[in-house]
Amino acid sequence: MYQDVILDHYKHPHGRGLRDGDAEVHHVNPTCGDEITLRVKYDGLRIADVSYEGQGCSISQASASVLNELLVGKELSEARKIQSVFLELMQSKGQIEPDDAMEEVLEDAVAFAGVSKYPARVKCALLSWMAWKDATAQALGDGADESDDADEAVRKTA
Amino acid sequence: MYQDVILDHYKHPHGRGLRDGDAEVHHVNPTCGDEITLRVKYDGLRIADVSYEGQGCSISQASASVLNELLVGKELSEARKIQSVFLELMQSKGQIEPDDAMEEVLEDAVAFAGVSKYPARVKCALLSWMAWKDATAQALGDGADESDDADEAVRKTA
Amino acid sequence: MTAPRQGLPGLLDTEAIRKDFPILDRRLHDGKKLVYLDNAATSQTPRQVLDVLSEYYEQHNANVHRGVHVLAEEATALYEGARDKVAAFINAPSRDEVIFTKNASESLNLVANMLGWADEPYRVDRETEIVITEMEHHSNIVPWQLLSQRTGAKLKWFGLTDDGRLDLSDIDEIITENTKIVSFVLVSNIMGTINPVEAIVRRAQEVGALVLIDASQAAPHMVLDVQALQADFVAFTGHKMCGPTGIGVLWGRQELLEDLPPFLGGGEMIETVSMNSSTYAPAPHKFEAGTPPIAQAVGLGAAVDYLSSIGMDKIAQHEHILTEYAVKRLQEVPDLRIIGPTTAEDRGAAISFTLGDIHPHDVGQVLDEQGIAVRVGHHCARPVCLRYGIPATTRASFYLYSTPAEVDALVDGLEHVRNFFG
Amino acid sequence: MTAPRQGLPGLLDTEAIRKDFPILDRRLHDGKKLVYLDNAATSQTPRQVLDVLSEYYEQHNANVHRGVHVLAEEATALYEGARDKVAAFINAPSRDEVIFTKNASESLNLVANMLGWADEPYRVDRETEIVITEMEHHSNIVPWQLLSQRTGAKLKWFGLTDDGRLDLSDIDEIITENTKIVSFVLVSNIMGTINPVEAIVRRAQEVGALVLIDASQAAPHMVLDVQALQADFVAFTGHKMCGPTGIGVLWGRQELLEDLPPFLGGGEMIETVSMNSSTYAPAPHKFEAGTPPIAQAVGLGAAVDYLSSIGMDKIAQHEHILTEYAVKRLQEVPDLRIIGPTTAEDRGAAISFTLGDIHPHDVGQVLDEQGIAVRVGHHCARPVCLRYGIPATTRASFYLYSTPAEVDALVDGLEHVRNFFG
Ligand SMILES: Cc1ncc(COP(=O)(O)O)c(C=O)c1O
Ligand SMILES: Cc1ncc(COP(=O)(O)O)c(C=O)c1O
């Protein structure tokens, strides 16, 4: 599961540190104590910044770094699409072999495909994504939060 | 376990019915709902009467009948000896083969030797004996109740 | 004694089924074949379940959750997989509504305790009422007596008719606006009565009371659909449905499980703990403190697979036919009085009776000498005995492996009992 | 890496012992041998216990108590026989002091609930105080937090010293005349610390407080003598001591068990039941509602036989030697920091550590890839992590079948982890 891409992001995280934002959330993975504090800054419906600080395993740290790299600069609708594809991959229990189309959407995040085989680690990979979703809902109002799928997914792996 | 002696006592119980007494107790075997109401009448330390009424299985009924036959007319000390021998027999898990000496003390009650192999039924056989002990303690004061062995024994088979 | 076995179409292939149950080959008392008619107390365990248990311990044993090693992941997958199986078996809307307990008694106590510690609108307190019935198992009486003593709530109950049914004639006085919870048995373990769920649930819903159904004697014997029942909670126990001992289930509606407070504290039921305070994991984990009965849950999953492979509808039909036959044959025995419904209509396969003046202990003992295992006593339903003025009953109870020949053996055995004490 | 195995006299004959545990032959990840170092989470189950479980279900399975048929009598004798074995194992003055629960968590909750509902002088209420420690398992924290919330009693605790020991310096301020109960762990599951029972018990007795000892990590590993401990209650759990899952024990002093109220209601815990009120059976039955974990108790009895046949003193010695070796070898690993005592003195065989900045999840995962099973996380003792300012630890824990070669494998594995993330 420890793809070089993941280790790279872990050792050299993108966009780490807390910067100015519209909303801040703090998420904890009770299973292992991974924590993240994450802020989002929106420019209309465009993601101006996702900044974060936290402690956790390589998977959760790398995942936050990948998230920053993937989402910053994107429109919310586009970011949501990326998130849902990532979610699908993480729930696949190792059954999805990412194809080119998926790789186009997820870029470095396809490296997490192998993590999906390890139920205990899926939560680590999703921690920052759940935090981002939550922070976005806070920043833009609950109306922007059109689906509960992601929370459901986390629950299922509990 | 159903010796003829036991069936005889069951079908033709001795001294059944409630008569005048110094103390009355009501004992229940919670396992099967056997119940007995028992009265003792003392003449000094001599057992003048043990009268009883109750419902229950052949073993508990026959045992009360045997008790009446054995104890009425005896001195308390003698009755206690009989009771403790009976108790020993009932706790023997079928290991004691009553000898002549025991038969001399227990008379018809040796027929219960076979019952001691059936833990669930030992309580039935002991119900009236526990009631007698309890009633005696009430009639003569707790000082007369020098030992807790019998209660212990019942507890052990619970 | 001839057994009109040919005349009973619709029975299961018991010859094949019995091969799955090693214990049914047991010989007793110098070679007598075991006739096991004590299924309402506990069922026997098929090879398929025993194999899964052994495999669990020999291949996958680890503590569940929080583990990153292979065994821990396998054990967790097996344990949570068992939850999926049980959820499917009872048609639960969500797997998270299935809580594993140690037995039905814990499940029932769990609900009573949740309600005692709950906030409004669920809280049971001195202003409120609890409703049960006179045919409950002690495990569905004592928890409510304790709750009533400890909160001051009033305990009320439905009485019984002479033929072993619930007397619902005064339902509107018993279930009132003050009622917070109605808890009743779906199938009576002592009389076999199947109760009219719908009428009770409808009235409870009218007044906004919660409904808990004790399905301990239903889950093993019929299709159990918690959605169709429309109850709020359903409890049952593994050892009566071909599963291991040490495992029970409480199903509860998700919103309720979210709102209600935890019962036992510790282990995996938390979200985060500090010395000053803790928060709780979402259900079902909130209600599963400590290391759960892992192997036993996995075993129950295997039991549910086993039962489903035969078909719960087929099992129900088998038992119904057998019960019809047994009720008829038993009534041929002189002085035998059935306590409970005397037809197979709306009744399960547990049949209690008295035999003249012969005490059930004696009936049971003499049957045992012939290899026939029945249960005697008050069957943890003493109020039923009180209601019918009897100290105890003898109870024969059937399951998927029971046969008409075993009914015949029972009837023959009872004749012998009568002669013995006659 | 050379293992000075020759230099460790006093170890058990693990080669023979390991043959008893089928799972130790498991191969993982393309044939890697399982190195099972997660014994503090759960122990593995020997063939001797599995055979007894199978035999129970295949030969004797029945519901206990109240049965007059052969199977019921056999099952009852086996179940009650297991109680005798456990009583002897912990040197209980009476077998009736041994209560079977589903796990240690239930045992601990049972005491907390008894005290909440008790009459004076035991009753915990707003005038009184509860004392625990900062190194408790969540199962010995959350029940007391719940009790404190529900009764208004004040929850206090002993803190920890930097080297993973209880800080008893303020014992007289923590345990006071208002203290009703002191509950603490005998051996910490996260740090391995063995706590000084005597000092705490002495102070508790001085003020008339009851003492509950959580022996979950002690019962499997050392001679446990409840009389020597002088506690009022002792709790432990079957699955950590070669027994099945789904079974726990609470030992309590007989007078207390007589005086204290029941917790769960139903099934066999009664003496007599009517709709209006019930009376309770004497202990231990008073505290065993419903069908108990019969097979699991019988399995625990077999586990106790197994452990005794090897000898608890020999097991303790084996683990002590191994721990001494492991503590030494682990400290050779650069950046490794042991959380808890850094010598084998007064410590059990669970060793927690951090490895530089590498998150325990990553440590555990990379060890797992080498077949080495350790536990990572807060080990249900999050306050300890908070105390030492760490999110989690990696924990290796040993048992009677663990070997110096496995310690070496762990140390090699950790080197690999460092290189991997270095
Ligand atoms: C010290 C301690 N106490 C209590 C427990 C709880 O035991 P169980 O999970 O079996 O209830 C454990 C183990 O998980 C433990 O290590
Ligand atoms: C109707 C009913 N409810 C509850 C129970 C209690 O189940 P358990 O003993 O497994 O807790 C039983 C069986 O004993 C039962 O028959």
Side-chain angles (χ1 to χ4, degrees):
Chain A
M1 71 191 264
Y2 292 109
Q3 301 290 315
D4 285 344
V5 178
I6 292 180
L7 288 177
D8 260 9
H9 275 278
Y10 170 53
K11 291 177 189 164
H12 312 289
H14 282 250
R16 194 182 167 98
L18 285 175
R19 295 171 296 274
D20 182 35
D22 306 327
E24 172 181 310
V25 298
H26 180 74
H27 274 214
V28 173
N29 176 351
T31 312
C32 58
D34 283 358
E35 296 189 22
I36 192 163
T37 304
L38 180 143
R39 289 185 192 157
V40 289
K41 176 133 193 79
Y42 277 90
D43 178 4
L45 284 179
R46 207 182 58 84
I47 301 170
D49 193 13
V50 182
S51 63
Y52 63 94
E53 198 50 89
Q55 55 182 13
C57 65
S58 58
I59 303 298
S60 71
Q61 299 298 298
S63 173
S65 166
V66 166
L67 178 146
N68 172 286
E69 196 178 65
L70 266 175
L71 300 193
V72 173
K74 295 274 190 333
E75 289 299 320
L76 177 59
S77 57
E78 174 67 9
R80 282 226 165 97
K81 212 180 88 195
I82 295 170
Q83 195 226 17
S84 79
V85 175
F86 185 65
L87 199 63
E88 190 192 337
L89 179 64
M90 294 319 295
Q91 286 171 29
S92 71
K93 300 187 173 161
Q95 297 307 306
I96 293 183
E97 188 60 62
D99 56 11
D100 288 356
M102 189 176 258
E103 189 153 352
E104 187 140 327
V105 178
L106 291 185
E107 302 179 21
D108 278 5
V110 294
F112 287 82
V115 176
S116 72
K117 271 182 287 195
Y118 298 86
R121 308 306 295 278
V122 169
K123 277 187 272 193
C124 307
L126 289 177
L127 183 68
S128 53
W129 294 81
M130 295 303 127
W132 170 76
K133 182 168 174 282
D134 194 6
T136 296
Q138 282 187 30
L140 304 179
D142 271 343
D145 180 27
E146 91 281 44
S147 116
D148 269 326
D149 294 355
D151 289 341
E152 275 298 305
V154 170
R155 176 80 57 83
K156 281 221 178 75
T157 63
Chain B
M1 71 192 261
Y2 292 110
Q3 302 289 315
D4 286 344
V5 179
I6 293 180
L7 288 176
D8 261 8
H9 275 278
Y10 170 51
K11 291 177 190 167
H12 312 289
H14 282 250
R16 195 182 166 96
L18 286 174
R19 295 172 294 276
D20 182 37
D22 306 327
E24 173 180 309
V25 298
H26 179 74
H27 274 214
V28 173
N29 177 348
T31 313
C32 58
D34 282 359
E35 296 190 20
I36 193 164
T37 304
L38 181 143
R39 290 186 192 156
V40 289
K41 175 132 194 83
Y42 277 89
D43 179 4
L45 285 179
R46 206 184 58 87
I47 301 170
D49 194 14
V50 181
S51 62
Y52 62 96
E53 199 48 270
Q55 55 181 11
C57 65
S58 57
I59 302 299
S60 70
Q61 298 298 296
S63 172
S65 167
V66 165
L67 177 146
N68 171 284
E69 196 177 64
L70 267 175
L71 301 193
V72 173
K74 296 273 189 338
E75 290 297 323
L76 178 58
S77 58
E78 174 66 9
R80 283 225 164 97
K81 212 181 88 195
I82 295 170
Q83 196 228 17
S84 80
V85 175
F86 185 66
L87 199 64
E88 191 193 337
L89 179 65
M90 295 318 296
Q91 286 172 33
S92 71
K93 301 187 172 164
Q95 297 307 304
I96 293 183
E97 189 60 62
D99 56 12
D100 288 355
M102 189 177 257
E103 190 154 351
E104 187 140 330
V105 179
L106 292 185
E107 301 179 21
D108 277 5
V110 294
F112 287 82
V115 176
S116 71
K117 272 182 286 196
Y118 298 85
R121 307 307 296 276
V122 169
K123 277 188 272 193
C124 307
L126 290 177
L127 183 67
S128 52
W129 294 81
M130 294 303 125
W132 170 76
K133 183 169 173 280
D134 195 7
T136 296
Q138 283 187 30
L140 304 180
D142 270 344
D145 179 29
E146 90 280 44
S147 117
D148 269 328
D149 294 355
D151 291 339
E152 275 297 306
V154 170
R155 176 80 60 80
K156 281 220 178 79
T157 65
Chain C
M1 211 75 17
T2 58
R5 270 165 257 168
Q6 316 305 349
L8 297 176
L11 291 180
L12 291 168
D13 179 1
T14 47
E15 214 173 305
I17 288 173
R18 292 174 74 87
K19 294 213 178 83
D20 295 333
F21 293 82
I23 205 171
L24 296 180
D25 290 332
R26 222 356 247 277
R27 302 269 159 175
L28 313 163
H29 302 303
D30 313 319
K32 296 220 179 53
K33 244 193 121 154
L34 170 65
V35 176
Y36 186 73
L37 302 181
D38 193 16
N39 293 286
T42 206
S43 60
Q44 295 304 341
T45 326
R47 168 76 55 211
Q48 287 83 342
V49 171
L50 299 181
D51 287 349
V52 164
L53 285 177
S54 297
E55 193 188 312
Y56 171 80
Y57 287 115
E58 288 175 11
Q59 296 285 329
H60 313 292
N61 181 48
N63 213 324
V64 291
H65 308 303
R66 292 173 203 267
V68 296
H69 60 79
V70 173
L71 296 184
E73 284 184 348
E74 289 175 351
T76 303
L78 286 167
Y79 178 68
E80 294 299 335
R83 200 189 305 279
D84 291 327
K85 290 177 185 189
V86 171
F89 185 72
I90 61 173
N91 194 28
S94 159
R95 67 182 307 281
D96 294 329
E97 298 179 338
V98 172
I99 298 165
F100 285 125
T101 60
K102 70 173 170 175
N103 54 25
S105 301
E106 185 189 348
S107 301
L108 297 164
N109 278 276
L110 171 46
V111 177
N113 278 275
M114 286 193 293
L115 298 182
W117 294 119
D119 292 327
E120 289 302 345
Y122 309 113
R123 190 177 183 87
V124 168
D125 58 26
R126 60 175 57 256
E127 322 284 73
T128 62
E129 296 174 357
I130 299 161
V131 173
I132 59 174
T133 88
E134 206 174 355
M135 69 164 83
E136 298 311 311
H137 189 279
H138 293 165
S139 294
N140 201 25
I141 298 175
V142 183
W144 305 110
Q145 290 179 337
L146 287 170
L147 183 64
S148 150
Q149 283 159 25
R150 289 167 180 180
T151 62
K154 188 164 174 208
L155 182 62
K156 297 162 80 177
W157 55 87
F158 289 103
L160 305 181
T161 65
D162 287 343
D163 57 343
R165 306 254 169 219
L166 285 183
D167 175 3
L168 297 182
S169 59
D170 47 0
I171 187 167
D172 291 350
E173 286 87 71
I174 291 182
I175 302 179
T176 72
E177 298 291 332
N178 294 328
T179 308
K180 286 278 175 150
I181 174 85
V182 181
S183 184
F184 67 97
V185 73
L186 182 43
V187 181
S188 158
N189 72 305
I190 179 166
M191 298 187 294
T193 319
I194 299 182
N195 286 317
V197 173
E198 212 191 311
I200 302 173
V201 168
R202 201 186 316 118
R203 175 63 185 157
Q205 287 177 345
E206 233 169 70
V207 301
L210 296 175
V211 174
L212 164 55
I213 292 182
D214 176 1
S216 303
Q217 298 287 346
H221 302 291
M222 56 180 70
V223 176
L224 187 69
D225 178 335
V226 296
Q227 298 190 53
L229 288 175
Q230 290 201 43
D232 298 292
F233 302 100
V234 175
F236 53 98
T237 197
H239 66 90
K240 295 190 203 283
M241 50 194 291
C242 297
T245 58
I247 183 79
V249 173
L250 177 68
W251 169 84
R253 281 203 294 114
Q254 188 141 8
E255 317 84 84
L256 292 172
L257 298 183
E258 269 162 28
D259 286 357
L260 290 167
F263 173 39
L264 302 181
E268 295 299 322
M269 55 73 77
I270 56 95
E271 184 180 75
T272 179
V273 172
S274 72
M275 291 309 285
N276 285 304
S277 69
S278 302
T279 56
Y280 308 117
H285 303 290
K286 179 163 82 174
F287 301 103
E288 294 182 353
T291 304
I294 307 171
Q296 293 72 40
V298 174
L300 179 58
V304 152
D305 282 346
Y306 180 77
L307 292 172
S308 300
S309 76
I310 291 172
M312 290 311 296
D313 46 350
K314 296 227 180 71
I315 292 173
Q317 175 181 310
H318 174 82
E319 293 183 19
H320 183 73
I321 294 168
L322 210 58
T323 302
E324 205 158 39
Y325 179 62
V327 164
K328 189 180 114 256
R329 296 262 11 235
L330 284 171
Q331 285 174 314
E332 293 164 20
V333 178
D335 302 330
L336 187 146
R337 172 187 166 208
I338 289 180
I339 306 298
T342 52
T343 70
E345 198 104 336
D346 287 334
R347 67 133 52 242
I351 309 178
S352 269
F353 54 85
T354 57
L355 188 63
D357 280 342
I358 308 172
H359 192 280
H361 255 198
D362 292 318
V363 177
Q365 195 89 49
V366 174
L367 287 176
D368 174 65
E369 285 170 3
Q370 300 163 73
I372 303 168
V374 296
R375 185 119 324 208
V376 300
H378 52 51
H379 315 289
C380 293
R382 188 163 172 272
V384 170
C385 293
L386 292 177
R387 163 65 176 82
Y388 295 107
I390 49 177
T393 78
T394 302
R395 181 185 69 190
S397 53
F398 305 96
Y399 205 12
L400 72 164
Y401 37 65
S402 304
T403 66
E406 291 183 315
V407 173
D408 296 336
L410 171 66
V411 170
D412 292 353
L414 290 170
E415 285 297 346
H416 179 71
V417 171
R418 288 187 65 242
N419 294 335
F420 190 81
F421 290 104
Chain D
M1 218 60 31
T2 57
R5 270 166 257 170
Q6 317 304 351
L8 297 177
L11 291 181
L12 291 169
D13 178 1
T14 48
E15 213 174 306
I17 288 173
R18 292 175 75 88
K19 294 212 178 84
D20 294 333
F21 293 83
I23 205 171
L24 296 180
D25 290 332
R26 228 347 254 277
R27 302 269 160 173
L28 312 165
H29 304 302
D30 314 319
K32 296 218 178 53
K33 246 194 120 156
L34 169 65
V35 175
Y36 186 75
L37 303 181
D38 193 16
N39 293 286
T42 205
S43 60
Q44 296 303 341
T45 327
R47 170 74 56 209
Q48 287 83 340
V49 171
L50 298 180
D51 287 348
V52 164
L53 285 177
S54 297
E55 193 188 313
Y56 171 80
Y57 286 116
E58 289 175 12
Q59 296 285 330
H60 314 292
N61 181 46
N63 212 323
V64 292
H65 307 303
R66 293 174 201 266
V68 296
H69 59 79
V70 172
L71 296 183
E73 285 183 346
E74 289 174 353
T76 304
L78 286 166
Y79 178 68
E80 294 299 334
R83 200 189 304 280
D84 291 327
K85 289 176 184 188
V86 170
F89 186 72
I90 61 175
N91 194 27
S94 159
R95 68 182 306 280
D96 294 329
E97 299 179 337
V98 172
I99 298 165
F100 284 125
T101 61
K102 69 173 171 177
N103 54 26
S105 301
E106 185 190 349
S107 302
L108 297 164
N109 279 275
L110 171 46
V111 177
N113 278 275
M114 286 193 293
L115 299 182
W117 294 120
D119 293 327
E120 289 302 344
Y122 308 114
R123 190 177 184 88
V124 167
D125 58 25
R126 60 175 57 254
E127 322 284 73
T128 62
E129 296 175 356
I130 299 162
V131 172
I132 59 175
T133 88
E134 206 175 356
M135 68 164 84
E136 297 310 312
H137 189 279
H138 293 166
S139 294
N140 200 25
I141 298 175
V142 183
W144 305 110
Q145 289 179 337
L146 288 170
L147 183 65
S148 149
Q149 282 157 26
R150 289 169 180 179
T151 60
K154 188 167 176 203
L155 182 62
K156 297 162 82 176
W157 56 87
F158 289 102
L160 306 181
T161 64
D162 287 343
D163 57 344
R165 306 256 169 216
L166 285 183
D167 175 3
L168 297 183
S169 59
D170 46 1
I171 187 166
D172 291 350
E173 286 86 71
I174 291 182
I175 301 179
T176 72
E177 297 291 332
N178 294 327
T179 308
K180 285 277 174 151
I181 173 84
V182 180
S183 185
F184 67 97
V185 72
L186 182 44
V187 181
S188 158
N189 71 305
I190 180 167
M191 298 186 294
T193 319
I194 299 181
N195 285 316
V197 173
E198 211 190 312
I200 302 173
V201 168
R202 201 186 315 117
R203 175 62 185 158
Q205 286 177 345
E206 232 170 70
V207 301
L210 295 176
V211 174
L212 164 57
I213 292 182
D214 176 1
S216 302
Q217 297 287 346
H221 302 290
M222 56 180 69
V223 176
L224 186 68
D225 179 334
V226 296
Q227 298 191 54
L229 289 176
Q230 290 200 44
D232 298 291
F233 304 99
V234 175
F236 53 98
T237 197
H239 66 90
K240 295 190 203 281
M241 52 195 289
C242 297
T245 59
I247 184 78
V249 173
L250 177 68
W251 169 85
R253 280 202 294 114
Q254 187 141 7
E255 318 84 83
L256 292 171
L257 298 183
E258 269 161 29
D259 286 357
L260 289 166
F263 173 39
L264 302 181
E268 296 298 322
M269 54 73 77
I270 56 95
E271 183 180 73
T272 179
V273 171
S274 72
M275 292 308 287
N276 285 303
S277 70
S278 301
T279 56
Y280 308 117
H285 303 290
K286 177 162 85 174
F287 301 104
E288 294 181 354
T291 303
I294 307 171
Q296 293 73 40
V298 174
L300 178 58
V304 152
D305 281 346
Y306 180 79
L307 292 172
S308 301
S309 76
I310 292 170
M312 291 311 297
D313 47 349
K314 294 227 181 74
I315 292 173
Q317 175 181 312
H318 174 83
E319 292 182 18
H320 183 74
I321 294 167
L322 210 58
T323 302
E324 204 158 38
Y325 179 61
V327 163
K328 188 180 115 257
R329 295 265 6 238
L330 284 171
Q331 285 174 314
E332 292 164 21
V333 178
D335 303 329
L336 188 146
R337 172 186 165 208
I338 289 179
I339 307 298
T342 51
T343 69
E345 198 104 338
D346 287 333
R347 70 134 50 241
I351 309 179
S352 269
F353 54 85
T354 57
L355 188 62
D357 280 342
I358 308 173
H359 192 279
H361 255 197
D362 291 319
V363 177
Q365 195 89 48
V366 174
L367 288 177
D368 174 65
E369 284 170 4
Q370 301 163 73
I372 303 168
V374 296
R375 186 121 319 210
V376 299
H378 52 52
H379 315 290
C380 293
R382 187 164 172 271
V384 170
C385 293
L386 293 177
R387 162 67 176 81
Y388 295 107
I390 48 177
T393 78
T394 302
R395 180 187 70 190
S397 52
F398 306 96
Y399 205 11
L400 72 164
Y401 37 64
S402 304
T403 67
E406 291 184 317
V407 173
D408 295 336
L410 171 65
V411 170
D412 292 353
L414 290 170
E415 286 295 348
H416 179 71
V417 171
R418 290 187 65 242
N419 294 335
F420 191 82
F421 291 103

